[in-house]
Amino acid sequence: VQNFEIGPLRAEIGARYERTAVEAREFDLLGTPDQRRSFNAYSASAGASLAIAAGWRIGVDFSHTERAPTVEE
């Protein structure tokens, strides 16, 4: 996460990368095979606000988030 402040403008950005490996073992009773999968998940956010009067700010935020599925999914 990185913060910036330039006069009345305040901004913040952040990013994250995660690599996950999931392994499920064979289970004959349910008919599930051995499986190994890996996932790359990315998350990012950005926001900014502007001071418009004493004690008042107006702002906007954007974000994108991913997650890897669990073994059950």
Side-chain angles (χ1 to χ4, degrees):
V1 174
Q2 184 66 49
N3 297 309
F4 304 95
E5 194 162 342
I6 303 168
L9 178 66
R10 188 181 301 163
E12 184 175 289
I13 60 171
R16 173 184 168 146
Y17 165 77
E18 181 178 356
R19 178 165 171 77
T20 304
V22 179
E23 181 178 331
R25 296 189 181 178
E26 182 177 5
F27 189 52
D28 288 330
L29 187 60
L30 294 176
T32 57
D34 263 345
Q35 276 192 329
R36 291 186 185 100
R37 297 177 69 189
S38 61
F39 301 91
N40 298 314
Y42 304 92
S43 300
S45 64
S49 66
L50 183 66
I52 56 173
W56 289 85
R57 298 188 79 81
I58 188 166
V60 63
D61 293 304
F62 299 96
S63 65
H64 171 78
T65 304
E66 298 177 356
R67 73 168 180 83
T70 63
V71 173
E72 294 81 13
E73 295 175 316

